Amino acid sequence: LMMLLTLPFASYAAGSGGPPVPGLTIGFGQDFESGRDMKPTPVMLLEPRGTIGTGNCHIRHWYRTMLQVGYGLFDFLEVYVKLGGAGFKFRTDIEDQLGNPVGDAVVHTKMGFAYGGGVKAAYEFKDGAVKGLLIGADAQYLRHKQRYHAMTMDDTGPCDDSGNVLLQEWQIGP
């Protein structure tokens, strides 16, 4: 009961779909997020512009389309791979090497290749007071790398910047 009451507040996981089934399964999914706050890994810009992405980072729009192909090894366990594309827009702070804020950047990525994989398992109680109760979990890893274009504004003035951004995440859904 405590898990059911507290997980909606503590988890932002992807949906786990239905329970595992034996054999081959094919599915299609679309993710859209309109806001996510992150603290990314620092990316060094040319001197003396500082570091982009070390402070607050807010993803404004995120689109991810994935084809999922899975195989149920047993009636309680399925493994799968996901292939597709992703793109997003975000706003981040620019800080100097001492961590002092010196500006901000608005970043737009191009649609890039996204991939991942995961496993899901489920157990159904066959008898007793909880007969028919199904409990399970889905754990997946997703990764995508895109080219980006950024408009930065800091104490040296406006500047265009471009490069690559890599996003990796683990999602666990009970």
Side-chain angles (χ1 to χ4, degrees):
L1 183 59
M2 284 302 290
M3 189 169 84
L4 290 175
L5 293 176
T6 59
L7 279 178
F9 301 110
S11 175
Y12 295 98
S16 59
V21 294
L24 184 68
T25 59
I26 297 176
F28 179 76
Q30 173 71 43
D31 294 341
F32 171 75
E33 289 189 37
S34 61
R36 178 188 274 196
D37 293 323
M38 305 173 70
K39 179 143 180 142
T41 304
V43 176
M44 293 304 292
L45 295 177
L46 298 175
E47 293 295 332
R49 297 198 67 81
T51 304
I52 186 172
T54 57
N56 295 322
C57 177
H58 178 76
I59 292 180
R60 296 184 303 168
H61 303 289
W62 178 342
Y63 306 93
R64 183 167 47 205
T65 304
M66 305 290 278
L67 173 70
Q68 178 175 321
V69 178
Y71 188 78
L73 302 171
F74 307 102
D75 62 348
F76 61 88
L77 184 67
E78 180 180 334
V79 295
Y80 58 86
V81 295
K82 287 186 168 187
L83 303 171
F88 55 97
K89 299 175 185 175
F90 65 95
R91 181 179 302 273
T92 188
D93 295 337
I94 301 174
E95 297 175 346
D96 64 14
Q97 280 70 18
L98 301 175
N100 301 316
V102 294
D104 66 334
V106 176
V107 181
H108 299 266
T109 66
K110 293 185 177 189
M111 189 63 97
F113 180 62
Y115 63 93
V119 61
K120 62 181 171 178
Y123 178 77
E124 182 178 2
F125 290 92
K126 304 288 186 204
D127 55 9
V130 291
K131 182 178 180 180
L133 178 65
L134 182 70
I135 58 172
D138 184 353
Q140 65 182 348
Y141 170 77
L142 299 171
R143 175 183 172 116
H144 41 94
K145 182 177 184 179
Q146 286 104 326
R147 297 271 312 147
Y148 73 82
H149 176 68
M151 291 295 300
T152 61
M153 175 61 87
D154 62 16
D155 52 6
T156 63
C159 180
D160 284 343
D161 188 31
S162 62
N164 292 317
V165 62
L166 172 69
L167 194 132
Q168 305 177 84
E169 62 183 296
W170 277 100
Q171 297 179 347
I172 300 173

